[in-house]
Amino acid sequence: MANFIRFVQTLDYMRMVVGICIVVNGYPLIFFFRETMKLAPGSTVFTAVVLAGGLVLMIPFTVLRRLYRPNMTMLWMGVSFLLLIIFYMFFFNGVPGFEDSGRDMIYFAYVLIFLFLLINIPNDIIRVFIPIVVLFTLVSNLGLIYALITDPTWAIGQRATITLNNGDEGSGNPHAFSRNAFIGVVACAIGLFRPQTNIFFKLLCFFAGLVNIAVLVLTQTRSAIVALILAVILFMYFNVRPAQIRIAVRGLVKPVPIFIMAVGFLGVIYFFQRYFTAYLILYDYVTSFMTRNLENVYALLGMKAQGVDYNAVLDDSAANRSVSGIFLRNVLYGHLHMLILGYGYKYLYLDVPLMEAFTNHGILGLVLFGGINALAFYHAIRTMRTNPNDLSTFLAYFYLLIFVQLFTNGRPNEISFWFPLSLMIRFIGVDHLFPAYLSTASPSQNTGQLVVVPTQPV
């Protein structure tokens, strides 16, 4: 009976984690069903309904009766910034005739509901979090691959994405798919390195990890590539020590790891022998990606493009951020007083979220938005040192992508920032409050649970 109850609880935790995945990382699957399967092409209502479905799946049976303590400093900073931009939207809007307040309020309501539900969700979802994320990201990647194969407008060499609303080849959003791939790589790495992971799940993680890396290459998004390089460097710095290398080497000579490596190696060789074109495609994507980014480096240094006579130039995205930097410099030198309150809600799209928070929302916007991200980065680095549990470790490396995007793309009011930041608020920096059986380090026995007892009638 006890095993049956535990099984039912596990299914319940899996339901909640699927809901979290839909909200935080659901756009790849939403685009697949909406555009590729033609369920609702171009429909924002369909997107809103699916995200709402994710929120419904997150509702625990103990909602409002059992709450869990988040990172309180990050909570108040995050909520304060959201209230600040809502205030600016209605009373200090930088866009004349702004008509999207209703749509934006729905986004902010989703973020606040998501954060509230996270505070109600039990810490025990840690037990099933990584397996669900691995499966969820794999299914999303397979959906993208199917979409590319069946899309007559997509050709090899283009960035991997799903065309939106029957638009042109540039109408897709490759960043959504690169984020999915990055998340998948992190989850698969954790699954592979967990000592308690069984051989079948390790094989799944190995296969899914290869698919994630391939998709990451196909999307050609710099922010995800930079975040992955940064994640590898930090992982090596915090985890690779002489003693650990010796332990790892000893672990590799055991039958199970040898079998996994042999199967994986033979599988990769067989795949590329049978589908040699796939290898050539990946190779062309890698070389073109490196060539394009080296040209940006040459342009910044004022050099000529490699092997040619003309001067290198920045691509559109890099040039846009360069213009944003020039705008901020001009404001600092000639209109410094405007940065006290900022220029208003959505006054200017700078493509650098941290800079836009300062320019549009003033000093308070920079302090709140920059402060919550500084705390998230601090706790992420601290978590990488200790690896207290699978979920905290996952979020620590996931945040590296958010950190890179603070300087590369997006806006500070977008849900693509605030859904992940809500996860950080709930789970980062509070691992000492989790029960001991969820931890891989030496945590406190405190569950971090706040029981809300309803008042009794007199």
Side-chain angles (χ1 to χ4, degrees):
M1 187 63 180
N3 290 334
F4 176 75
I5 294 175
R6 180 178 174 83
F7 174 72
V8 173
Q9 287 179 334
T10 300
L11 291 179
D12 192 40
Y13 298 147
M14 293 171 68
R15 166 184 66 87
M16 298 179 206
V17 176
V18 170
I20 292 174
C21 289
I22 291 174
V23 175
V24 176
N25 189 41
Y27 276 102
L29 279 181
I30 290 174
F31 293 155
F32 172 75
F33 286 109
R34 200 181 76 181
E35 309 295 341
T36 304
M37 305 305 293
K38 306 298 182 183
L39 294 184
S43 173
T44 56
V45 175
F46 179 84
T47 302
V49 169
V50 173
L51 293 178
L55 294 174
V56 171
L57 285 175
M58 288 175 57
I59 300 175
F61 292 113
T62 57
V63 64
L64 297 178
R65 293 187 291 114
R66 185 173 296 170
L67 306 178
Y68 296 83
R69 185 181 299 276
N71 187 311
M72 297 303 296
T73 305
M74 292 179 64
L75 174 66
W76 291 118
M77 294 186 76
V79 172
S80 297
F81 183 76
L82 290 173
L83 293 178
L84 174 70
I85 58 179
I86 291 173
F87 176 83
Y88 268 51
M89 181 173 60
F90 288 106
F91 300 104
F92 190 20
N93 201 302
V95 181
F98 185 75
E99 298 179 351
D100 292 332
S101 57
R103 184 194 65 184
D104 287 8
M105 277 303 300
I106 293 175
Y107 292 154
F108 298 141
Y110 273 47
V111 173
L112 292 173
I113 293 171
F114 179 64
L115 182 56
F116 170 74
L117 290 176
L118 285 175
I119 295 174
N120 284 267
I121 284 181
N123 299 318
D124 291 75
I125 64 167
I126 293 174
R127 292 196 288 111
V128 299
F129 193 87
I130 295 300
I132 294 299
V133 172
V134 170
L135 290 171
F136 192 90
T137 54
L138 177 60
V139 171
S140 300
N141 285 328
L142 294 178
L144 172 63
I145 294 171
Y146 175 82
L148 297 179
I149 294 173
T150 57
D151 185 358
T153 66
W154 186 82
I156 295 172
Q158 296 177 7
R159 302 174 78 177
T161 185
I162 293 178
T163 303
L164 302 180
N165 197 22
N166 297 318
D168 57 30
E169 64 185 46
S171 65
N173 182 8
H175 291 281
F177 298 96
S178 65
R179 170 182 284 200
N180 178 75
F182 179 83
I183 290 173
V185 169
V186 173
C188 290
I190 293 174
L192 283 171
F193 284 105
R194 271 198 318 188
Q196 65 270 34
T197 303
N198 63 59
I199 184 173
F200 298 106
F201 186 62
K202 282 184 181 288
L203 288 171
L204 175 64
C205 289
F206 184 82
F207 170 74
L210 292 178
V211 174
N212 283 307
I213 293 174
V215 169
L216 201 59
V217 173
L218 293 174
T219 55
Q220 302 185 67
T221 55
R222 280 191 292 266
S223 56
I225 298 294
V226 171
L228 181 60
I229 294 172
L230 186 59
V232 172
I233 292 173
L234 289 173
F235 175 82
M236 298 290 288
Y237 177 77
F238 288 124
N239 295 278
V240 178
R241 296 290 185 271
Q244 292 171 323
I245 293 176
R246 289 193 294 270
I247 294 173
V249 171
R250 294 193 194 103
L252 290 176
V253 298
K254 294 180 180 179
V256 172
I258 290 176
F259 175 77
I260 293 174
M261 290 187 293
V263 171
F265 181 72
L266 293 175
V268 171
I269 292 178
Y270 174 77
F271 177 81
F272 283 127
Q273 284 182 340
R274 186 173 179 84
Y275 305 100
F276 187 68
T277 305
Y279 167 78
L280 295 177
I281 292 172
L282 289 175
Y283 178 79
D284 288 341
Y285 269 97
V286 171
T287 53
S288 64
F289 179 81
M290 293 177 64
T291 301
R292 189 174 76 249
N293 286 282
L294 281 175
E295 184 159 347
N296 284 328
V297 174
Y298 296 144
L300 289 172
L301 297 176
M303 301 168 61
K304 293 183 180 297
Q306 188 177 23
V308 296
D309 294 330
Y310 63 86
N311 289 330
V313 295
L314 295 171
D315 62 21
D316 291 340
S317 60
N320 184 47
R321 284 185 284 275
S322 178
V323 172
S324 300
I326 294 173
F327 172 80
L328 180 61
R329 184 188 65 186
N330 292 336
V331 172
L332 289 172
Y333 283 116
H335 307 277
L336 186 61
H337 64 283
M338 292 298 297
L339 295 179
I340 298 175
L341 296 178
Y343 281 85
Y345 182 75
K346 286 191 174 181
Y347 171 77
L348 189 64
Y349 176 56
L350 298 177
D351 211 18
V352 182
L354 201 59
M355 189 187 301
E356 185 173 329
F358 187 25
T359 303
N360 290 356
H361 302 287
I363 295 175
L364 186 57
L366 176 64
V367 169
L368 292 175
F369 187 70
I372 189 174
N373 281 282
L375 283 175
F377 184 75
Y378 166 77
H379 288 299
I381 296 298
R382 176 179 169 273
T383 300
M384 292 177 196
R385 292 178 181 273
T386 57
N387 297 312
N389 58 77
D390 291 343
L391 176 54
S392 296
T393 301
F394 169 83
L395 292 178
Y397 286 98
F398 177 22
Y399 180 73
L400 293 177
L401 177 59
I402 308 301
F403 179 77
V404 171
Q405 290 177 336
L406 287 176
F407 307 95
T408 56
N409 63 276
R411 311 194 75 166
N413 55 293
E414 289 180 347
I415 57 177
S416 59
F417 277 104
W418 285 101
F419 283 147
L421 282 176
S422 297
L423 277 176
M424 310 295 165
I425 290 171
R426 169 63 178 90
F427 292 104
I428 281 286
V430 292
D431 46 83
H432 60 286
L433 301 176
F434 298 164
Y437 59 83
L438 297 175
S439 301
T440 56
S442 300
S444 168
Q445 296 291 335
N446 188 354
T447 63
Q449 177 180 304
L450 299 178
V451 179
V452 180
V453 181
T455 55
Q456 299 294 329
V458 179

